[in-house]
Amino acid sequence: MTDIIFSECSPETAAEKTVALLRSMHLTVSTAESCTGGLISELITSVSGASGIFELGICTYSERIKTEYLGVPAELIAKYGVVSEQVALSMVQGLKQRSGADVCVSVTGIAGPDGGTAETPVGTVFIGFDICGEQFVRLPQLWKLDDLSRCNIRRSAAAYALSVIENKLSEVNRKDER
């Protein structure tokens, strides 16, 4: 679940590649974002042709909204904390149920500069995915970035999420071509 950071390209380039792949595969995408504040949705919709693949983008910043709109159980948040693998997975499951998109991504984390602890430092970001029915959560090691500014953590989380989607869809596409 914990992944090394990789930044093969800018968030904008990652969005372009992801949108092109989604379009070529005739798939749709939805997002449920907390600490990225809608940045992934913004990046996707800034690409020409995104209207053909983008279903829904929701910024579920508060615990109440995560519970009311995505169906994240309050007990889950109380037990594991809002910044957790369990909550990211529950967010993406709720998003999938509500949007029906082929690809769903959720983000919950600490973008800083405040809010971090020794156990959960600034840069802790859990990203949930449902890609063509495969559900999983990733934890990029954003706390290891040289630049721990809020802007850089948000952009790095968005780029990471888009890159994971692109990589997974490329795997699926290669299997389908065989």
Side-chain angles (χ1 to χ4, degrees), residues 170-178:
S170 292
E171 288 174 18
V172 170
N173 208 16
R174 282 191 298 274
K175 286 179 187 174
D176 288 347
E177 291 174 350
R178 291 183 195 160

Side-chain angles (χ1 to χ4, degrees), residues 97-162:
Q97 181 180 27
R98 281 158 184 74
S99 75
D102 301 300
V103 176
C104 294
V105 61
S106 67
V107 183
T108 183
I110 303 171
D114 302 319
T117 65
E119 298 82 29
T120 312
V122 168
T124 301
V125 178
F126 290 91
I127 305 174
F129 298 91
D130 183 312
I131 300 177
C132 301
E134 180 185 352
Q135 295 181 349
F136 57 96
V137 176
R138 295 280 174 85
L139 176 62
Q141 298 178 14
L142 301 180
W143 59 84
K144 292 183 177 180
L145 291 169
D146 290 334
D147 176 0
L148 288 175
S149 68
R150 184 175 188 82
C151 179
N152 193 50
I153 289 169
R154 292 176 68 237
R155 285 180 56 80
S156 296
Y160 179 87
L162 290 165

Side-chain angles (χ1 to χ4, degrees), residues 54-89:
F54 190 75
E55 289 288 313
L56 169 72
I58 183 170
C59 186
T60 55
Y61 215 74
S62 73
E63 292 177 17
R64 179 179 69 84
I65 297 300
K66 285 176 181 66
T67 299
E68 289 179 15
Y69 282 80
L70 296 176
V72 176
E75 303 78 27
L76 195 71
I77 294 172
K79 183 173 182 177
Y80 297 104
V82 72
V83 178
S84 65
E85 176 182 6
Q86 294 83 358
V87 168
L89 184 60

